Amino acid sequence: MRSSEHASSRTASTALTRQRILASARALIGSRGGAQVSLEDIAAASEITRPGLLGHFRSMDALMTAVEAEFCAESGRQMTLGVSSWANLLEIPDYRSMSVQFLSLAMTADSPSPSTACHHRQLLESAESILTEHSDSTALTPQGLVATWEGLLVLQSYFPSLDPARIIQARLDPARARPSAPSSRTAPVSPASLIPAEFGYARGRSRRQQIVEDATLLFARNGYHGTTIRQLASEVGISASTLLHHFGHKAGLLAEVLRHRDEQLVHRRGQRDMDARTELAELGDEARRDLEVERGLVDMYAVLSTEAIHPDHPAHAYFTDRFSRTIDYFEGLIANSDSGSPDPRLDAVWLVALWDGLQYQLILSPDDMDLPAQLDHHIQTSLGITPATRSAIPDEPHTLDERTSSQV
């Protein structure tokens, strides 16, 4: 074989090996989650040695960057102007799982990767075109539409039968597509129903409470898998064995952190006697108060809800139950608010997805996201309820490049 033919064959072989590694990485990350997959796992699935893999990708970060770039290119090929393009995205293998995981990784990274920014920019560009085509959709903003889409992808991780594309289409064109969201909930729901069934350890004394509060900050900053028992113990000034004595294991501490957040929320709501319409009107103010006083809790919840999408995550059962109860809660409010909603269940799902999606964007681009204003706008235009504080969406939004410069 001539040297040129040999070089060409070697180049082709290298490209095939590289593509096999990428395919194995995508399959494993999609099924397990990036935090649970090692280079050794990917090498074994690719039928290559670890040193051989490192000859193609010098580190796990380099491999993840390549996977993200491939994912972005594939989603770009699927996306065309119009809402049908978003349904096409769901045809990409492991699209939902990969999209949510890249979102989760971006929220805990020092800076989002260019590849992840690429996909989010695609969604924003598409959302602007979609809303231009549906000029009567005054209840929607491009930022809000993308937030809802990303929130729906997270919800679908916990409720696989949920159809994000049909829900988006139903909001844009109710006459043509209305997904089934049956429910008989019409009675008001008590705030206490937001606390999931017993999950984890009972409340302890002041020392345990301090551990929970410190752990909340670490989980919010690093995610569950990115936080070690040693880090947690060091943060609160105790030994790892003492921490395990209090909570049994890291999952037990996580359970306590999550329950603590819900108990705080319910306690605050329980102090106020409001009817359904008033409570919906004050959601923007409530969100504003949370961001001013409990930003760490808001961030922790957002990060962990995206990290826990796989059933084997210690918090998966918690979020499945929590999302179900939250949707029920808002469905009850909307049904009893005299808003005239034709489908309180669908409106509740949309509200939960929007709110969570806005929280994700807030972490990624804190200087370019007015979450309370977005909520107020939604409550005003979608439910016909005047917000307690009229914080309007700016008339002159940033340009697309300005909006996405620091976002995923």
Side-chain angles (χ1 to χ4, degrees):
M1 180 181 293
R2 291 178 297 181
S3 60
S4 60
E5 293 176 341
H6 178 74
S8 176
S9 175
R10 185 170 59 186
T11 299
S13 176
T14 298
L16 286 174
T17 301
R18 180 183 176 89
Q19 193 55 43
R20 189 169 71 249
I21 294 170
L22 285 172
S24 297
R26 281 189 61 162
L28 287 173
I29 293 168
S31 61
R32 296 187 197 172
Q36 300 283 48
V37 177
S38 67
L39 282 175
E40 288 76 9
D41 295 331
I42 298 171
S46 306
E47 299 181 342
I48 191 174
T49 64
R50 187 179 189 277
L53 186 153
L54 290 173
H56 293 271
F57 301 96
R58 64 182 182 276
S59 65
M60 188 65 173
D61 286 343
L63 177 53
M64 286 295 293
T65 297
V67 170
E68 289 182 31
E70 183 182 67
F71 171 80
C72 180
E74 188 171 357
S75 62
R77 289 191 294 269
Q78 289 285 352
M79 293 187 75
T80 57
L81 298 182
V83 72
S84 62
S85 65
W86 292 21
N88 294 339
L89 288 174
L90 296 174
E91 299 302 317
I92 297 175
D94 296 313
Y95 169 79
R96 172 188 50 76
S97 175
M98 299 290 283
S99 178
V100 174
Q101 287 180 78
F102 291 146
L103 179 66
S104 183
L105 289 172
M107 286 193 289
T108 55
D110 292 334
S111 60
S113 73
S115 298
T116 310
C118 166
H119 181 53
H120 191 80
R121 187 159 52 246
Q122 290 170 344
L123 289 172
L124 276 170
E125 290 171 349
S126 179
E128 290 182 340
S129 297
I130 288 170
L131 295 182
T132 298
E133 294 175 5
H134 295 78
S135 57
D136 56 335
S137 298
T138 57
L140 302 174
T141 66
Q143 204 169 36
L145 186 59
V146 172
T148 304
W149 174 255
E150 292 176 335
L152 288 171
L153 292 177
V154 173
L155 285 177
Q156 191 186 36
S157 301
Y158 299 96
F159 309 106
S161 63
L162 186 146
D163 188 337
R166 287 193 66 200
I167 291 174
I168 295 288
Q169 183 64 63
R171 179 54 59 93
L172 292 171
D173 193 353
R176 292 184 55 190
R178 178 161 289 280
S180 175
S183 176
S184 59
R185 179 169 301 284
T186 57
V189 181
S190 165
S193 68
L194 290 172
I195 300 181
E198 193 66 26
F199 182 78
Y201 292 81
R203 295 180 63 183
R205 298 179 181 176
S206 59
R207 186 54 171 158
R208 285 170 56 90
Q209 191 67 20
Q210 185 61 51
I211 294 173
V212 168
E213 292 174 0
D214 290 340
T216 294
L217 299 178
L218 277 178
F219 284 143
R221 185 165 68 240
N222 302 327
Y224 176 78
H225 289 296
T227 303
T228 67
I229 286 291
R230 181 171 295 181
Q231 286 174 318
L232 289 165
S234 175
E235 186 76 12
V236 297
I238 60 176
S239 67
S241 60
T242 299
L243 188 147
L244 293 174
H245 171 75
H246 280 292
F247 299 96
H249 43 68
K250 190 169 71 167
L253 176 55
L254 173 64
E256 188 73 4
V257 166
L258 294 172
R259 282 186 60 80
H260 174 63
R261 179 185 189 274
D262 286 332
E263 287 170 356
Q264 286 185 319
L265 173 66
V266 169
H267 176 73
R268 188 171 73 247
R269 285 184 173 173
Q271 304 302 308
R272 306 166 68 192
D273 184 16
M274 296 182 290
D275 59 30
R277 192 175 184 88
T278 300
E279 185 162 352
L280 288 169
E282 294 193 1
L283 288 183
D285 272 353
E286 180 178 328
R288 186 173 294 103
R289 182 262 177 204
D290 286 346
L291 295 174
E292 291 173 352
V293 180
E294 299 174 343
R295 179 61 187 271
L297 291 174
V298 173
D299 290 354
M300 179 209 67
Y301 179 87
V303 170
L304 289 176
S305 68
T306 59
E307 190 182 84
I309 62 173
H310 292 282
D312 58 352
H313 191 285
H316 184 83
Y318 165 85
F319 279 107
T320 301
D321 192 22
R322 181 62 164 79
F323 277 129
S324 178
R325 290 168 180 270
T326 303
I327 291 170
D328 282 352
Y329 181 75
F330 283 120
E331 181 188 359
L333 288 181
I334 293 169
N336 289 275
S337 66
D338 298 324
S339 66
S341 168
D343 192 336
R345 184 69 173 183
L346 184 61
D347 282 329
V349 170
W350 186 282
L351 177 58
V352 171
L354 170 66
W355 198 335
D356 278 36
L358 291 173
Q359 289 177 349
Y360 308 147
Q361 292 191 27
L362 183 66
I363 295 175
L364 298 166
S365 186
D367 297 329
D368 189 39
M369 164 59 64
D370 190 339
L371 188 156
Q374 290 277 350
L375 278 181
D376 282 342
H377 178 76
H378 174 74
I379 295 299
Q380 173 77 50
T381 56
S382 294
L383 299 177
I385 297 175
T386 302
T389 300
R390 299 294 297 275
S391 51
I393 301 298
D395 293 330
E396 299 290 337
H398 296 296
T399 65
L400 182 62
D401 289 340
E402 290 172 335
R403 277 202 312 268
T404 58
S405 61
S406 60
Q407 289 181 324
V408 292

